[in-house]
C-alpha cells in the first residue's frame, strides 16, 4: 500500500507541530511507522491522503458511533452553523441535550457541559473535593482520565504510599494527593481508605476500562467501590467518557446497576465535536458556581455545534441499537479468538456493547500488570499487517476498539478473514510448518 503522501504530510507536520501530532498516541510510536493522514471519512471507512481506504475500528477514539459523516449529523451541523457557531450565552440546545442525558443516565439529575473529557474529569475532581472538603482521591493504575495534572500519576514504590508524577511538569505536591491502586483490587482500595482516614474525597474509575486495552470489572468490584465510598464518606465517580452511550444508552451504570455519585461523559455525546460533561445528584451538582462555590467555566462550553451533533447522534441510538452492536462485537471477538487459537497466538478478548478489545496474552487480564504481559511486538506487526490489508485498528495494544452503526456483519467477517491472513503471513502456525 502506497503511503507516500502520508509520509510527506508527516514530515511537514513535524516541522511545525511537536512530534507531528496534536495528541501523543497518533504518532504511532507504539507500533512504529508513519501515521496515516486522513483526508475524509464516510460511514465505517477512513480515506487517507494517498486515497487508501480503511475499515475504521478506532472511530476517532470512540465518538463516531453513528459512523463518519452520518447524514443526520451533517444536516444538524449545517442547520446549527447557519445560525452562528458560538454566542457565549445560554441556548436551548444545551437544555435539550441535558434532558436526553438526565433521562438516559440513571445517576444523573443535573449535568454541566464543558469542551473535553479532560475538563470533565478535572471538574468532577474539583467538585468532589469541594463537596467533601477533602483533598486526596483514589485512581486505578491503567485507567485514563484525560491529560490534567492530577491524573498523570503513577503508583509509587508501595501501593499505599502517594503516587509519583508520570510526566515532567506535574508537581510532586499534586502527585501526593492521588493514590494509585490496581484495578479490580477492592482490598487495596480499602487499605488506601484505612491509611488515609477522613482524607479521601473520591474514587474515580473507568467502570469498564478502555484505556489499557479493554478490561472488564470482576463480579462485585463496582459494588464494592460503591459500598466502600459510602462507608468512608467519599464520592464515587464513574468516568464514562468512553462508555457513556457506547456500551448502553445509560453507560456501564445502566448495565451493572451500580450508581455513582458523579459521572463524566464526552466522546459520543458530542457526535465527533469537542465536548465533555459531568453530572450527578442535584445536591452535589448545585455546589457548582453560580449557586455554589466550586468554580467552573468555559468560553465554548455547551457549544451549539457540539450540542447539535450530539443530539443528532443520540437520537440514532435506541436500546435495540446497542443489542445489535453487541451482537456484531461478539461476532468479531469470537471470530478473532478462533483465528488466534488456530494460529497458536496466546490471547484474551473482551467485548461489551459497541466496544471490544484483544490482548496478545493469555487471560484473564484484570489489571494493568496483566495487560502488560501482552506481546506488544506481535501487536505492532499485526497492526501493520492489518493496516496494509485496509483495516485500521488502534496504533497501540493498550486501547479499546469500537464499532459504529455503519459496520456490517459482512465487514466483520472480512476483518476476521484478514486477521487470519495477516497472522499466517507473520507467523505460520505450527502444523503448517510440520506439514510442509
Ligand atoms: C478519552 C477519555 C478521557 C479524555 O477525554 P478527552 O476528550 O480526550 O479530553 C477521559 N476519560 C476517559 C475514560 C476517556 O476515554
Amino acid at each position: 500500500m502506497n503511503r507516500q503522501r502520508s509520509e510527506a504530510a508527516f514530515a511537514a507536520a513535524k516541522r511545525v507541530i511537536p512530534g507531528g501530532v496534536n495528541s501523543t498516541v497518533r504518532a504511532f510510536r507504539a507500533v512504529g511507522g508513519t501515521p496515516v493522514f486522513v483526508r475524509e471519512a464516510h460511514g465505517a471507512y477512513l480515506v487517507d491522503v494517498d486515497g487508501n481506504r480503511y475499515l475504521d475500528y478506532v472511530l476517532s477514539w470512540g465518538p463516531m458511533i453513528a459512523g463518519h459523516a452520518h447524514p443526520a449529523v451533517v444536516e444538524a451541523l449545517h442547520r446549527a452553523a447557519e445560525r452562528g457557531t458560538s454566542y457565549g450565552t445560554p441556548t436551548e440546545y444545551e437544555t435539550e441535550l441535558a434532558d436526553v442525558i438526565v433521562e438516559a443516565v440513571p445517576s444523573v439529575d443535573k449535568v454541566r457541559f464543558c469542551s473535553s473529557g479532560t475538563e470533565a474529569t478535572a471538574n468532577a475532581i474539583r467538585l468532589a473535593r469541594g463537596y467533601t472538603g477533602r483533598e486526596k482521591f483514589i485512581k486505578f493504575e491503567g485507567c485514563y482520565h484525560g491529560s490534567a495534572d492530577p491524573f498523570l500519576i503513577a503508583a509509587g514504590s508501595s501501593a499505599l504510599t502517594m503516587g509519583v508524577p508520570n510526566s515532567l511538569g506535574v508537581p510532586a505536591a499534586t502527585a501526593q494527593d492521588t493514590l494509585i491502586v490496581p484495578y479490580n483490587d477492592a482490598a487495596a482500595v480499602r487499605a488506601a481508605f484505612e491509611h488515609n482516614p477522613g482524607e479521601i474525597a473520591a474514587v474515580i474509575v473507568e467502570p469498564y476500562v478502555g484505556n489499557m486495552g479493554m478490561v472488564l470489572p470482576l463480579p462485585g468490584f463496582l459494588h464494592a467501590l460503591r459500598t466502600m465510598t459510602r462507608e468512608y464518606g467519599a464520592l464515587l465517580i464513574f468516568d464514562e467518557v468512553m462508555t457513556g452511550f457506547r456500551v448502553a444508552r445509560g453507560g456501564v451504570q445502566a448495565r451493572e446497576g451500580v450508581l455513582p455519585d458523579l459521572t463524566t461523559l464526552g466522546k459520543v455525546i458530542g457526535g465527533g465535536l469537542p465536548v465533555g460533561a459531568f453530572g450527578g445528584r442535584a445536591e452535589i451538582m448545585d455546589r457548582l458556581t453560580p449557586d455554589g462555590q466550586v468554580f467552573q467555566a468555559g468560553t465554548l462550553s455547551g457549544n451549539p455545534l457540539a450540542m447539535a451533533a450530539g443530539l443528532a447522534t443520540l437520537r440514532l441510538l435506541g436500546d435495540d441499537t446497542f443489542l445489535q452492536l453487541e451482537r456484531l462485537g461478539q461476532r468479531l471477538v469470537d471470530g478473532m479468538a478462533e483465528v488466534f487459537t488456530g494460529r497458536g497466538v496466546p490471547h484474551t478478548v473482551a467485548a461489551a456493547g459497541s466496544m471490544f478489545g484483544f490482548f496478545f496474552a493469555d487471560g484473564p487480564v484484570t489489571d494493568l500488570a496483566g495487560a502488560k504481559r501482552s506481546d506488544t511486538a506481535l501487536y505492532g506487526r499485526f497492526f501493520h499487517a492489518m493496516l496494509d490489508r485496509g483495516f485500521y485498528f488502534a496504533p497501540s495494544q493498550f486501547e479499546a476498539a469500537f464499532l459504529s452503526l455503519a459496520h456490517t456483519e459482512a465487514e466483520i467477517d472480512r476483518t476476521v478473514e484478514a486477521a487470519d491472513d495477516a497472522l499466517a503471513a507473520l507467523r505460520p502456525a505450527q502444523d503448517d510448518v510440520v506439514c510442509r
Side-chain angles (χ1 to χ4, degrees):
M1 205 176 256
N2 184 349
R3 276 192 285 270
Q4 272 180 325
R5 285 195 181 196
S6 275
E7 275 158 30
F10 193 39
K14 281 195 282 195
R15 285 200 301 272
V16 286
I17 298 172
V21 294
N22 287 306
S23 192
T24 303
V25 71
R26 295 181 198 167
F28 274 33
R29 290 291 164 88
V31 293
T34 304
V36 172
F37 275 62
V38 169
R39 183 179 70 200
E40 57 189 283
H42 303 278
Y45 288 88
L46 300 174
V47 182
D48 73 11
V49 288
D50 290 284
N52 303 307
R53 283 177 94 225
Y54 308 90
L55 183 57
D56 184 12
Y57 286 110
V58 179
L59 296 171
S60 187
W61 302 91
M64 311 310 302
I65 197 169
H68 294 287
H70 189 288
V73 178
V74 173
E75 166 68 18
L77 280 170
H78 268 297
R79 272 189 287 132
E82 274 167 6
R83 297 187 205 136
T85 55
S86 183
Y87 320 115
T89 70
T91 64
E92 288 176 330
Y93 281 132
E94 292 152 82
T95 312
E96 211 181 323
L97 186 55
D99 274 331
V100 172
I101 290 170
V102 167
E103 217 266 321
V105 185
S107 70
V108 173
D109 300 333
K110 288 191 176 180
V111 60
R112 174 92 35 112
F113 291 107
C114 49
S115 299
S116 68
T118 293
E119 276 183 58
T121 55
N123 277 293
I125 285 293
R126 184 184 303 130
L127 179 54
R129 286 170 162 165
Y131 180 80
T132 59
R134 301 172 176 186
E135 298 199 346
K136 295 183 179 174
F137 70 93
I138 295 174
K139 173 195 176 292
F140 295 93
E141 205 176 10
C143 284
Y144 178 70
H145 303 295
S147 57
D149 280 4
F151 302 108
L152 298 184
I153 312 295
S157 48
S158 150
L160 297 179
T161 60
M162 56 208 178
V164 293
N166 64 7
S167 163
L168 286 182
V170 175
T174 300
Q176 289 184 5
D177 290 331
T178 305
L179 306 172
I180 307 288
V181 299
Y183 191 73
N184 270 323
D185 190 344
V189 175
R190 184 170 293 281
F193 273 118
E194 289 293 322
H195 280 78
N196 298 274
E199 293 188 280
I200 297 176
V203 173
I204 186 166
V205 65
E206 280 186 83
Y208 291 176
V209 190
N211 285 293
M212 53 172 139
M214 185 159 178
V215 176
L216 294 171
L218 291 169
F221 176 63
L222 297 176
H223 279 283
L225 296 183
R226 180 64 282 181
T227 308
M228 277 188 273
T229 43
R230 284 220 176 97
E231 191 182 329
Y232 291 96
L235 298 188
L236 179 59
I237 305 172
F238 275 8
D239 182 355
E240 300 228 42
V241 168
M242 184 182 287
T243 53
F245 293 89
R246 228 313 139 214
V247 300
R249 260 183 90 75
V252 176
Q253 57 194 273
R255 290 173 68 107
E256 300 287 335
V258 177
L259 301 192
D261 301 297
L262 291 174
T263 300
T264 53
L265 296 165
K267 297 193 170 122
V268 169
I269 64 159
L273 273 83
V275 85
F278 58 109
R281 290 207 310 277
E283 162 230 351
I284 303 172
M285 292 303 290
D286 287 340
R287 298 292 183 93
L288 289 171
T289 51
D291 289 344
Q293 296 187 316
V294 178
F295 186 72
Q296 183 273 336
T299 301
L300 293 177
S301 288
N303 173 263
L305 293 190
M307 299 295 104
L311 275 166
T313 299
L314 300 193
R315 280 197 196 103
L316 300 169
L317 305 174
D319 287 332
D320 50 326
T321 323
F322 288 97
L323 292 177
Q324 164 66 10
L325 286 167
E326 182 133 359
R327 270 195 294 274
L328 280 183
Q330 202 57 53
R331 186 182 180 92
L332 184 54
V333 295
D334 287 350
M336 293 291 240
E338 207 177 306
V339 164
F340 297 151
T341 302
R343 295 286 164 193
V345 177
H347 61 275
T348 309
V349 302
S354 58
M355 229 173 119
F356 68 95
F358 50 89
F359 291 106
F360 288 143
D362 284 322
V365 173
T366 58
D367 59 11
L368 185 64
K372 281 186 169 167
R373 290 187 289 110
S374 282
D375 185 345
T376 52
L378 176 62
Y379 183 83
R381 289 159 68 221
F382 178 74
F383 166 84
H384 280 290
M386 291 303 282
L387 194 65
D388 288 342
R389 286 163 177 76
F391 298 87
Y392 193 79
F393 283 97
S396 160
Q397 166 78 94
F398 304 110
E399 303 289 349
F402 304 101
L403 293 169
S404 77
L405 302 178
H407 287 70
T408 65
E409 211 164 87
E411 280 156 336
I412 300 299
D413 293 349
R414 235 165 32 74
T415 306
V416 172
E417 280 163 34
D420 191 46
D421 189 52
L423 284 172
L426 292 182
R427 186 192 243 215
Q430 217 62 28
D431 44 315
D432 285 1
V433 177
V434 174
C435 289
R436 278 167 211 152

